[in-house]
Amino acid sequence: MSELAERSGVSAGTIKHYLREGLLGNDAEIVRTSRNMAYYPPSYVERLQLIKRLQEDRFMPLRVIKGMMDTDPERAAALVELEDRIIERALDHGDTRARISAAEVRRRYDVPQNVLDRLAEIEILSPTSRGYDPDDVAIIEAFSRFRAGGYDEQLGFTVYDTVRYREALEPLVQEEVRVLLDRLAGEVDADRAAEIIAAGAEPLRELIGALHSRLLLRELHRQRGAATS
């Protein structure tokens, strides 16, 4: 048990809990030499690491993990591998994207520095010493256009309004990633999966924008009707 815990990076107490829950497969694979001594198959090391990752990185409850392990452990492993490869590719892509200096951003857009600083403080922007990445620049441009259109502090519009949109999008994105990984894992290789996800980015932005416009108009009509009734 101590060797298994050391090799897997999972504590002995957690391993015993997994064993009680039936997460490690057939007990027949365990060779018990005495009441307090047993030998475990080497395959348990990878299985333990996979269970821990599914639990901690993907926030899966143990009952769901057990179902995956019982029905298709290879798919569960493929899911984690695909996730790793996609994240690696996304990070590599993010690292190679050209950044724009803070001075250039201030020159291009009519957004005060204190506003940019507050957007960074609330983690809407993520500037580095090399400046802003393309997503940051797109957010700054949108913010500049909002201000030019009359969405200013005098009417009560502040940088903190962006938090509302982030909080609304976060669960949607979490569900989107879950669905993508579940549908792509084991069906296509990691490179093709990354291409599919990249190809969907722009249409998805257009879809969300169009749905937002439609829902906004629908809500305005609903509230006008409620006010006049």
Side-chain angles (χ1 to χ4, degrees):
M1 175 62 72
S2 61
E3 186 178 2
L4 181 61
E6 182 179 354
R7 290 192 180 186
S8 66
V10 179
S11 71
T14 300
I15 294 173
K16 291 175 182 177
H17 177 63
Y18 289 169
L19 285 167
R20 287 193 298 270
E21 295 295 321
L23 285 157
L24 295 180
N26 191 350
D27 282 353
E29 297 179 88
I30 303 173
V31 178
R32 302 185 187 279
T33 57
S34 70
R35 182 179 178 182
N36 297 317
M37 179 64 69
Y39 291 91
Y40 302 90
S43 61
Y44 274 25
V45 174
E46 290 185 1
R47 193 177 181 100
L48 280 165
Q49 292 171 339
L50 176 59
I51 292 169
K52 198 66 173 173
R53 285 204 57 191
L54 290 172
Q55 187 180 17
E56 293 185 350
D57 295 350
R58 302 205 70 216
F59 309 105
M60 284 187 178
L62 287 180
R63 59 179 178 77
V64 175
I65 295 173
K66 185 178 186 304
M68 293 179 67
M69 292 298 189
D70 289 344
T71 57
D72 197 349
E74 291 184 0
R75 180 175 175 80
L79 186 70
V80 172
E81 181 183 1
L82 176 63
E83 184 180 58
D84 287 344
R85 293 285 301 279
I86 290 172
I87 290 172
E88 287 172 7
R89 284 198 53 164
L91 291 175
D92 289 343
H93 176 65
D95 289 341
T96 58
R97 294 190 302 174
R99 284 182 172 265
I100 298 178
S101 70
E104 179 63 16
V105 164
R106 288 194 298 270
R107 187 188 69 80
R108 289 187 190 182
Y109 305 107
D110 184 23
V111 179
Q113 184 61 49
N114 67 319
V115 172
L116 295 175
D117 291 341
R118 284 202 298 273
L119 287 168
E121 287 171 7
I122 61 178
E123 300 181 344
I124 298 298
L125 300 178
S126 54
T128 68
S129 59
R130 295 186 293 114
Y132 298 91
D133 69 21
D135 289 333
D136 284 336
V137 173
I139 292 170
I140 293 167
E141 181 179 2
F143 207 85
S144 176
R145 293 170 63 186
F146 272 127
R147 289 169 61 86
Y151 289 75
D152 56 33
E153 288 83 355
Q154 292 180 350
L155 293 177
F157 296 102
T158 73
V159 296
Y160 299 102
D161 289 311
T162 59
V163 175
R164 181 171 61 253
Y165 292 97
R166 183 184 64 194
E167 291 176 347
L169 283 169
E170 280 174 346
L172 176 63
V173 170
Q174 290 168 2
E175 176 66 8
E176 178 190 356
V177 169
R178 185 194 67 78
V179 169
L180 281 170
L181 292 175
D182 286 347
R183 292 179 181 176
L184 296 176
E187 302 298 327
V188 297
D189 62 38
D191 289 338
R192 178 58 183 149
E195 290 173 359
I196 291 172
I197 292 171
E202 186 62 32
L204 183 60
R205 280 193 288 268
E206 294 174 358
L207 173 64
I208 291 174
L211 286 172
H212 177 268
S213 295
R214 174 168 292 180
L215 291 171
L216 179 64
L217 288 173
R218 184 180 298 170
E219 181 62 16
L220 288 170
H221 283 305
R222 187 192 69 80
Q223 292 201 19
R224 183 177 66 179
T228 57
S229 62

